[in-house]
Amino acid sequence: MFDEELDSSPAPADGALRISRSGHSISRRNIDADAIKVLYRLYRAGHTAYLVGGGVRDLLLGRRPKDFDIVTSARPAQVKRLFRNCRLIGRRFRLAHLHYPDGKIIELSTFRANPDLESRGVEDEADLLVVDDNRFGSPRQDAERRDFTINSLFYDIAGFSLIDYVGGLEDIQAQMVRTIGDPMQRFQEDPVRMVRAIKFSARLGFAIEAETWRAMIRLAPMITRSAPARVSEELGRLLDEGAAARSLELMDESGLLEAMDFHLEAYLRIAARGGLEFDPDGKLIYRLLRRCDQQRGQGKLSRPLLFCFWVLPIALMEGLLSGDDEGDRWNTAVFDCVTRLGLARREAEMMSLTLSLFRRLALKRKRKRGQGRPLEEREGFAEALRLLEFFSAEVPAFRDEYEFWSQRLEDRRRAAGPPRPSTGLRQDVVRRPVETAERSRRRVRRRRLPGQEHTDEF
Ligand code: ATP
Ligand code: MG
């Protein structure tokens, strides 16, 4: 019923290409049912509303979209009135989030325009950086302010058609990542887009269009002007979406790696010359990341753990695992690496914890018997063991350590027996206090005091 009603909605009058349902491969069956309901409700209330962004791109590619974003002519306050499950977020540009009981969020934004650079009196290239993008606009302006042509298609539930202002469908067919408009300008407005270009190219196996790629090579150093939290968020996405190894390759080739993490870039140069005992062909980090990529189907690796792979080869190169006396240097190196990555506090803490524990696992057999809580009871042990598992698969020198620790874990599990059903009665067993997240945070904080004074407790 709605379909007929909506089929008569006017075609965009501003020169967009409208592709009817027979001209594209999106089936309504693959669209989230709640997203469809939202689109219909907005239409019935007299607004225009389209599915947009990664959802449309992934549907066209036959991939399962991560999320279904919607763009509409309705203003945030109007959206809020229409949906009871709506929360408005964002100070600069208000977005509406619709929350569902299963934890799903559908994001709705009002059509908006790129800030008018000329009216801001832009003279110098450096001034192109966009710091305020709070302007409502038309559907065309909204399509044009997006990053890449492949991310800019609208799917209109009215008539099940695609609306293409920027040649996105053609680029999807050609498997090409291309900025909308002049890449030099678009990357200067927002350098994070360069990292996003790598993400889409690596994840989808798309080429980066030649002019877009040239601009990335020229502008890579500008990435340091972007907010660290945004950069590390995109870096995290590079690592955890199954194409981390390819992403690192592209980061290196474009010069973004040198700009973002020159330590790792320097490591790759040194390792490529050969001569590192644990990394004779200079490809260790690629092999580790490839393992992470393959692992993805069997449960996701956490972001802090993925970032550990980023850091470990450098630590190894600096010889930090060579003996008992290197604890302070190790902690300083880890602190430096974690700080450089600009991660959120909790992620940084988890990473420091995992790396510290990893070092202990890797050195355990060279040490005297330790005192204190057994390592396998500590928070972060499972992650550290995972790190050791991947590492030992690539660096034979760590194999014995990994076998020792996994055997030890197995023995403890066997000794504990199968979990017993609770009797509801008090157990008269005195247990060691469990390492709570707060206690471990305190330990990490202690370790990160200025000057890095750290006593290796082991
Ligand atoms: P993913 O599958 O990783 O979520 P996505 O394309 O959905 O990819 P999001 O980060 O979720 O990416 O952003 C949603 C949409 O918002 C993008 O498809 C794009 O149209 C637009 N967008 C995101 N970041 C930018 C940016 N930095 N500049 C311009 N447009 C952007
Ligand atoms: Mg998305």
Side-chain angles (χ1 to χ4, degrees), residues 204-221:
L204 306 173
F206 280 22
I208 299 179
E209 180 270 329
E211 219 182 303
T212 304
W213 180 247
R214 270 197 296 276
M216 285 169 69
I217 291 174
R218 281 186 60 188
L219 297 175

Side-chain angles (χ1 to χ4, degrees), residues 52-58 63-69 107 109 112 114 133 142-148 150-153 180 186 189-194 196 199-200 203-204 230 234 237 241:
V52 67
V56 179
R57 177 197 68 222
D58 289 345
R63 297 168 69 97
R64 198 195 167 102
K66 271 200 311 201
D67 36 38
F68 290 92
D69 297 336
E107 187 171 288
S109 63
R112 86 176 108 143
N114 220 2
D133 56 351
D142 189 275
E144 288 175 347
R145 64 130 189 127
R146 291 174 184 275
D147 48 4
F148 303 105
I150 58 170
N151 289 345
S152 192
L153 290 159
I180 297 166
R186 301 311 308 284
E189 285 167 12
D190 180 5
V192 171
R193 289 175 186 149
M194 296 188 277
R196 290 175 58 83
K199 175 178 79 170
F200 295 121
R203 191 207 295 173
L204 306 173
R230 286 190 65 219
E234 287 297 342
R237 292 201 201 172
E241 287 177 358

Side-chain angles (χ1 to χ4, degrees), residues 193 260 292 297 429:
R193 289 175 186 149
M260 280 163 66
C292 296
V429 180

